[in-house]
C-alpha cells in the first residue's frame, strides 16, 4: 500500500521542478494529483483494515498529509500566495516519508474503547484543526521575518487576511476537545481526568485562545504572530511529543502501533 | 504616576499573576502539598454562589472599579491564559499522583490541578468571566457568541472544579453467579454497601482472531502474519512459507497433542508447517497459552521462531440482573462505551481478570455518580455553539 504514497511523493517532486521553471499551473496540477492519490490511499486502507484508519500515529499522519494540502489549495484560492502550496506539500511529504521510515503493522484490531461513534468525528475534527493551524502558522512566520529577508516581503500577508482560517481552525480545535470530553464520559466514566493528552490538548487550546484575544488589537500584531507561530509547536507536542514525556506512562491516550 | 497607577496593563498583570502562583506554592509547601478536594453539597454550591456574589460586587461597587476594569481587560485575559497554560504544562510533563520527588510533592506539583496556585488562577479567571459576561451582555446576535463562549467556559470551570465534591467513583468486583452489593474506592480495600446489588449471569469476551508472528530469540517481532483462522496460505518471511494444517479455537494439551474441548483455560491452537523451497523445515503447534497452560512457539532455526501473541480483545460485556432496596429489579448489560444506568448511578465496564482472559469469571465495574454532570454538559454545549457562532460574528468584525 505504499505504492500510492510513493507515487504522490514523485508527483510532488515533478511539480517542484516545474516551479523552478516558473510553470505554476503545471505544479498545481501535480499538487492536486498527489492530494487525490493520498485520498485514495486512505480509502483503500479503510477498506483493507475494515476499521477507520485513525488509531496509530502513522494513520493520523496520513490524514494530515491529505488535509494539509487540501486546505492549502482552498486557502490559496482566496489569498493567492502560491508559495503556501509549496509549504503544505513539503510538510505533507515529510509526514509521508516519516510513515515510510516507520511503517505501521496495519493491524485490523480496534480496542473496545475506540469502538464508538465518537471515534471518527473526534479524530477528523482534530486533524482538520491541525491542518488549518499548521497552514496558518507559516503565514505568521513569514510575517515575523519579512523585514529581515527581502524575498519574504513579497510573500508576506497581513494577519487580518488569515484570521478567518485561524478562527475556523480554533473552532475545530474546540470541537475536538469537547467531543473528546463527551466521548471520555461514555468510555471511561468521566469527561475530564487530566490525562497528559487531555492536558496538552487543553494547553494547545489556551494558546490559540490567546491568539483570539490578540488578533484584532492594534499594535499587538507581532505578539499575535508569535502566538500563532509557536502555537503549532504546542500542537505538535500534544500530537506526538506527549508520547515521549515522563507523564506518558500514566496516559491512556498514547497511540498504539 | 507610579507602577501601580491604573489601568493595569501587561507588566502589572504578569507581576500579580506570577505572585499568585508563587504565593500559592509557598502555601502548598507549608501545608505539605496534599491534594485539595472540593467540598460536597452544599459547600460547593455555596462556594460558587460566593464567587458569583463577589464578582458581581466587584462589577457594581465604585471603589472596586479599578479591579473590575483590570479583570475585564485583555491584559488580564491574555496574561491569565498564558500563566495558566504554562503552569498546567508542568502537569503535562511530570507524572501526577502520589509517587514522585519529595520537593515536588511538598510544592503540590504532583497534584497541580488540586493545588492552591491552580485554584487561585481558576478563581480569578472565573471572576473575570462573570464580569465580562455582565459587561458585554446584550440581546444581539453579535454578542450571543461572546456570551455563550464565556458563560459556557465559566460553567465548565466552576461546575467541573467544584462539582467534583459530589462526584462518586466506586469499583465493584462482580463474579459470575454471585450477588454483589458492596463497592470500594480505588486503591482501598475497605468495602461499603451500595444502593443496588448486581448478579452477573455471564461475562462475555469476544477476541480478535489470533495471529502468528515471526520472532527472534530476543522476542522481537520481525514480521506479522494475518489471522490464523482466515487464510489458506498464511504468510511468508525471508523464504519461509507458513502453511496451516489445522486450527483449534479452544484447545487443551493432552500429552503431545491438542484436543478441542470447552473448558476453562483452553487457548487457540494453530498446527502449521513451515516450508522452505518446497521442503518442510518445521512443523508443530503454536499457541499463546492461557492461565493454566504455557504458550508454545515453533522453532525454525536458532534465531527464528513462529509464535502466537495473546489475541487482542474485541469486546467484553457483563450481563446479569440488578436489584434495588425498594424491590426493583431488571436485566443489565454493561460494555465499554455502553454504560448502564441505575438510580442516578452509571455503571462502566472497567476491567476483568486479565490473567484468565476470556475465561475470566470476574468483572470489574466502575459505578459513577455525578449530579453536576448536566451543569457541565450545559456549559460544554454553550461553549460549542458559541465557538461555532464565532465565524459569523468574526466576519462582521472584519467588514
Amino acid at each position: 500500500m505504499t505504492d500510492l504514497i510513493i507515487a504522490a511523493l514523485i508527483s510532488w517532486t515533478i511539480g517542484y521542478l516545474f516551479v523552478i521553471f516558473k510553470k505554476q499551473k503545471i505544479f498545481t496540477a501535480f499538487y492536486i494529483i498527489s492530494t487525490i492519490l493520498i485520498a485514495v490511499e486512505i480509502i483503500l486502507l479503510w477498506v483493507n483494515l475494515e476499521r477507520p484508519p485513525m488509531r496509530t500515529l502513522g494513520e493520523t499522519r496520513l490524514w494530515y498529509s491529505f488535509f494539509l494540502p487540501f486546505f492549502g489549495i482552498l486557502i490559496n484560492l482566496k489569498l493567492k500566495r502560491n508559495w503556501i502550496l509549496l509549504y503544505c506539500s513539503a510538510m505533507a511529504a515529510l509526514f509521508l516519508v516519516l510513515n515510510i521510515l516507520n511503517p505501521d503493522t496495519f493491524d485490523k484490531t480496534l480496542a473496545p474503547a475506540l469502538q464508538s461513534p465518537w471515534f471518527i468525528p473526534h479524530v477528523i475534527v482534530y486533524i482538520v484543526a491541525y491542518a488549518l493551524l499548521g497552514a496558518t502558522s507559516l503565514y505568521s512566520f513569514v510575517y515575523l521575518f519579512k523585514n529581515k529577508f527581502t524575498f519574504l516581503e513579497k510573500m508576506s500577508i497581513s494577519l487580518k487576511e488569515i484570521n478567518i482560517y485561524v478562527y475556523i481552525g480554533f473552532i475545530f480545535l474546540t470541537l475536538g476537545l469537547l467531543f473528546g470530553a463527551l466521548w471520555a464520559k461514555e468510555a471511561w466514566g468521566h469527561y475530564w481526568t487530566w490525562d497528559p493528552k487531555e492536558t496538552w490538548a487543553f494547553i494547545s487550546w489556551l494558546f490559540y485562545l490567546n491568539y483570539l484575544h490578540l488578533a484584532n488589537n492594534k499594535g499587538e500584531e507581532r505578539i499575535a504572530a508569535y502566538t500563532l507561530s509557536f502555537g503549532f509547536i504546542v500542537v505538535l507536542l500534544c500530537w506526538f511529543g506527549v508520547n515521549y514525556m515522563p507523564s506518558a506512562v500514566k496516559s491512556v491516550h498514547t497511540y498504539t502501533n | 504616576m507610579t507602577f501601580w497607577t491604573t489601568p493595569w496593563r501587561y507588566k502589572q498583570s504578569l507581576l500579580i499573576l506570577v505572585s499568585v502562583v508563587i504565593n500559592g506554592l509557598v502555601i502548598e509547601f507549608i501545608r505539605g502539598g496534599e491534594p485539595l478536594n472540593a467540598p460536597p453539597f452544599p459547600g460547593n454550591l455555596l462556594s460558587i454562589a460566593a464567587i458569583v456574589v463577589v464578582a458581581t460586587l466587584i462589577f457594581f461597587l465604585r471603589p472596586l472599579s479599578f479591579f473590575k476594569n483590570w479583570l475585564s481587560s485583555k491584559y488580564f485575559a491574555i496574561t491569565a491564559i498564558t500563566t495558566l497554560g504554562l503552569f498546567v504544562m508542568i502537569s503535562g510533563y511530570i507524572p501526577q499522583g502520589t509517587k514522585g520527588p519529595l520537593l515536588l510533592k511538598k510544592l503540590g506539583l504532583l497534584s497541580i490541578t488540586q493545588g492552591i496556585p491552580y485554584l487561585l488562577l481558576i478563581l480569578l479567571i472565573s471572576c473575570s468571566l462573570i464580569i465580562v459576561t455582565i459587561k458585554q451582555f446584550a440581546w444581539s446576535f453579535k454578542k450571543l457568541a461572546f456570551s455563550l463562549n464565556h458563560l459556557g467556559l465559566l460553567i465548565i470551570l466552576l461546575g467541573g472544579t467544584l462539582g467534583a465534591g459530589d462526584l462518586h467513583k466506586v469499583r465493584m468486583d462482580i463474579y459470575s453467579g454471585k450477588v454483589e452489593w458492596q463497592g470500594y474506592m480505588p486503591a482501598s480495600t475497605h468495602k461499603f454497601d451500595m444502593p443496588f446489588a448486581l448478579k452477573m449471569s455471564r461475562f462475555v469476551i469476544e477476541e480478535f482472531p489470533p495471529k502468528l508472528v515471526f520472532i527472534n530469540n530476543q522476542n522481537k517481532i520481525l514480521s506479522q502474519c494475518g489471522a490464523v483462522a482466515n487464510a489458506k496460505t498464511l504468510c511468508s518471511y525471508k523464504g519461509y512459507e507458513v502453511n496451516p494444517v489445522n486450527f483449534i479455537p479452544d484447545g487443551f494439551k493432552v500429552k503431545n497433542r491438542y484436543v478441542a474441548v470447552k473448558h476453562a483455560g483452553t487457548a487457540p491452537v494453530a498446527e502449521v508447517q513451515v516450508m522452505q523451497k518446497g521442503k518442510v523445515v518445521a512443523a508443530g503447534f503454536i499457541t499463546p497459552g492461557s492461565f493454566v497452560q504455557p504458550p508454545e512457539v515453533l522453532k525454525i532455526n536458532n534465531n527464528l521462531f513462529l509464535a502466537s501473541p495473546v489475541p487482542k480483545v474485541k469486546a467484553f460485556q457483563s450481563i446479569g440482573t440488578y436489584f434495588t432496596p425498594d424491590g426493583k429489579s431488571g436485566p443489565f448489560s454493561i460494555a465499554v462505551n455502553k454504560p448502564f444506568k441505575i438510580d442516578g448511578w452509571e455503571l462502566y465496564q472497567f476491567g476483568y481478570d486479565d490473567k484468565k482472559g476470556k475465561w475470566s469469571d470476574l468483572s470489574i465495574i466502575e459505578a459513577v455518580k455525578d449530579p453536576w454532570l448536566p451543569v457541565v454538559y450545559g456549559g460544554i454545549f454553550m461553549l460549542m455553539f458559541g465557538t461555532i457562532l464565532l465565524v459569523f460574528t468574526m466576519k462582521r468584525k472584519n467588514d
Side-chain angles (χ1 to χ4, degrees), chain B residues 114-148:
Chain B
Q114 289 176 270
I116 289 181
Y118 171 81
L119 294 171
L120 286 174
L121 287 174
I122 294 297
L123 175 65
L124 284 171
I125 290 171
S126 300
C127 287
S128 168
L129 289 168
I130 294 167
I131 288 166
V132 298
T133 304
I134 300 171
K135 199 173 180 179
Q136 295 279 1
F137 188 78
W139 293 106
S140 74
F141 181 76
K142 198 171 174 181
K143 297 289 184 184
L144 184 64
F146 184 96
S147 300
L148 280 175

Side-chain angles (χ1 to χ4, degrees), chain A residues 107 115 185 210 220 247, chain B residues 10 82 92 211 312 314 348:
Chain A
D107 193 344
Q115 294 171 33
K185 175 65 188 153
N210 244 358
E220 289 181 340
S247 53
Chain B
Y10 285 120
T82 308
K211 292 180 186 170
K312 288 187 183 169
K314 193 174 182 181
Y348 292 84

Side-chain angles (χ1 to χ4, degrees), chain A residues 55 105-116 160 163-164 167-168 170-171 174-175 178-179 181-191 193-194 196 199-200 202-203 205-207 209-210 212-214 216-218 220 223 234 242 245-247 249-250 257, chain B residues 10 74-75 77-79 81-82 84-85 88-89 91-98 113 118 150 153 156-157 159-160 167 169 208 211 224 312-316 336-339 346 348-349 366 368 370 373 376-377 380-381 383-384 387-388 390-391 394-395 397-398:
Chain A
R55 199 195 79 196
T105 49
F106 295 119
D107 193 344
K108 287 188 182 185
T109 62
L110 198 64
L114 297 180
Q115 294 171 33
S116 163
K160 276 196 179 152
N163 262 353
I164 182 78
Y167 269 66
I168 296 171
F170 178 78
I171 289 166
T174 308
L175 290 178
L178 299 178
F179 284 0
L182 295 171
W183 183 11
K185 175 65 188 153
E186 290 301 304
W188 297 324
H190 200 49
Y191 47 83
T193 54
W194 291 107
T199 303
W200 280 99
F202 178 59
I203 295 165
W205 186 78
L206 286 177
F207 232 91
L209 186 67
N210 244 358
L212 259 62
H213 286 81
L214 287 163
N216 296 304
N217 301 337
K218 281 181 192 171
E220 289 181 340
I223 304 176
V234 180
V242 71
M245 294 182 191
S247 53
V249 294
K250 291 219 163 189
N257 251 336
Chain B
Y10 285 120
K74 64 175 184 181
Y75 306 107
I78 290 159
T79 316
I81 291 167
T82 308
L84 181 67
V88 168
M89 260 191 207
S91 72
Y93 187 78
I94 300 173
Q96 301 287 279
T98 50
T113 56
Y118 171 81
H150 289 72
L153 181 61
I156 293 168
L157 285 179
L167 174 68
K169 269 185 165 187
F208 284 103
K211 292 180 186 170
Q224 189 172 262
K312 288 187 183 169
V313 172
K314 193 174 182 181
F316 51 101
V336 180
N337 282 311
K338 291 170 191 162
E346 279 197 277
Y348 292 84
Q349 183 66 67
E366 188 158 80
V368 178
D370 187 2
L373 188 67
V376 174
Y377 268 26
I380 285 175
F381 285 106
L383 182 57
M384 212 182 275
T387 306
I388 293 168
L390 275 179
V391 173
M394 189 246 163
K395 227 178 160 178
K397 231 185 221 180
N398 273 351

Side-chain angles (χ1 to χ4, degrees), chain B residues 38-53:
Chain B
F41 181 85
N44 47 13
L45 186 62
L46 290 172
S47 303
I48 291 174
I51 293 169
V52 173
V53 165

